[in-house]
Amino acid sequence: MSKGSQSERAQLVDIGVNFHSGQLMPLIAQLLERARAANVTQILATGTSVASSRLALELARANPGTVFATAGVHPHGAKSFDASTFRELTALWACPEVVAVGECGLDYNRNFSTPQAQRMAFEQQLSVAVETGKPLFLHCRDAFIDFHDMLAPVMADEARGVVHCFTGNRAEAEAFLAMGLDIGITGWVTDLQRGPALRDALPAIPLDRLHLETDAPYLFPKNAGKRRGHNEPANLPWVAQSVAELLGFDVDEIIHACSSNSRRLFGLPGN
């Protein structure tokens, strides 16, 4: 897919970029310029700690209408979640540029924080989503049962959210959808070796519940050809292309639907 084939009308929303990563931090101005050239016109800067959430907010304020922030503590950092962390995050969640609570959730794959510490941090962030009405930006890896069980009561209290960077199977996707959650799709869907479960699950996800994301600098799309360094928002059209091919839609239809979903969920301008 050449850049020229991307319709100017089809403006993308990238719901997950780790601008705080060492690969991306020195290149932010270039990344945003290349994103605009690729019709990626709105981007969520992911907060995974207090420090990265502050950076996300700074980027959102410096790039109004283009960059928006999330604020939260990733399960890897849950061991440091304390009362001070919660107070600092509470101040961030009050800012209008912060459009989601998270990245938060559970990750039992490596257990950089103990499962108990992860559940404690997750529970506190879940309570905020109900109080503030802001959607959840969720992470789940090898922790489906606990993750689902902890989410059930807050979803029953009319919380909203998206399972970011979903890599699970069809049954997990259907369970999340039944709870009222949306699903975020990354370049994992382009990976023929690691992504078969996701590719099989994709048709089970209604078009009005899908979101697109790069999770940059990670998960470089395999269909983009030879890897050129880190992943970045300008590569999001390749994720859209793969989703369109797997679902049998025109790529502009996928982009329009997913971007509309993201603007609606996160309250972004444009819908």
Side-chain angles (χ1 to χ4, degrees), residues 18-21 25 28 45 49-61 67 69 92:
N18 298 284
F19 283 114
H20 58 274
S21 70
M25 273 281 288
I28 289 174
S49 64
V50 170
S52 61
S53 298
R54 285 177 181 153
L55 173 64
L57 177 58
E58 290 172 10
L59 284 173
R61 287 176 170 169
V67 179
L92 292 171

Side-chain angles (χ1 to χ4, degrees), residues 226-242:
K226 184 177 180 181
R227 184 178 178 122
R228 299 174 298 280
H230 53 259
N231 196 14
E232 61 177 279
N235 290 325
L236 191 61
W238 296 105
V239 179
Q241 180 72 25
S242 182

Side-chain angles (χ1 to χ4, degrees), residues 108-130:
Y108 294 171
N109 182 260
R110 296 186 183 178
N111 284 327
F112 289 125
S113 294
T114 65
Q116 182 179 8
Q118 292 184 45
R119 290 191 292 269
M120 183 277 293
F122 189 31
E123 183 175 22
Q124 294 197 52
Q125 292 174 91
L126 287 175
S127 67
V128 169
V130 175

Side-chain angles (χ1 to χ4, degrees), residues 20-221:
H20 58 274
S21 70
Q23 298 100 310
L24 301 190
M25 273 281 288
L27 304 170
I28 289 174
Q30 299 172 41
L31 295 173
L32 293 178
E33 183 178 352
R34 289 199 290 265
R36 284 191 293 271
N39 288 328
V40 182
T41 59
Q42 293 172 313
I43 301 169
L44 268 62
T46 307
T48 60
S49 64
V50 170
S52 61
S53 298
R54 285 177 181 153
L55 173 64
L57 177 58
E58 290 172 10
L59 284 173
R61 287 176 170 169
N63 299 276
T66 298
V67 179
F68 304 84
T70 80
V73 170
H74 189 284
H76 287 343
K79 57 182 173 288
S80 64
F81 195 105
D82 57 17
S84 174
T85 303
F86 189 77
R87 284 194 300 271
E88 292 181 83
L89 287 174
T90 298
L92 292 171
W93 289 322
C95 299
E97 299 89 349
V98 174
V99 298
V101 175
E103 183 174 354
C104 60
L106 301 175
D107 191 319
Y108 294 171
N109 182 260
R110 296 186 183 178
N111 284 327
F112 289 125
S113 294
T114 65
Q116 182 179 8
Q118 292 184 45
R119 290 191 292 269
M120 183 277 293
F122 189 31
E123 183 175 22
Q124 294 197 52
Q125 292 174 91
L126 287 175
S127 67
V128 169
V130 175
E131 293 169 10
T132 65
K134 292 189 175 183
L136 287 156
F137 191 72
L138 296 161
H139 175 103
C140 179
R141 189 176 185 191
D142 296 346
F144 172 77
I145 294 175
D146 284 356
F147 182 81
H148 184 277
D149 289 350
M150 290 184 70
L151 273 166
V154 297
M155 294 305 297
D157 279 343
E158 300 185 349
R160 301 170 298 131
V162 58
V163 182
H164 138 77
C165 192
F166 179 73
T167 58
N169 58 38
R170 182 182 288 251
E172 291 171 349
E174 290 173 343
F176 291 145
L177 291 164
M179 297 176 75
L181 291 166
D182 289 1
I183 305 289
I185 303 295
T186 64
W188 190 274
V189 77
T190 71
D191 192 323
L192 299 182
Q193 292 186 329
R194 297 189 298 171
L198 174 58
R199 291 165 68 88
D200 176 68
L202 192 60
I205 305 171
L207 198 54
D208 64 354
R209 307 286 289 282
L210 273 175
H211 301 257
L212 301 174
E213 53 179 322
T214 56
D215 199 28
Y218 316 113
L219 301 176
F220 192 97

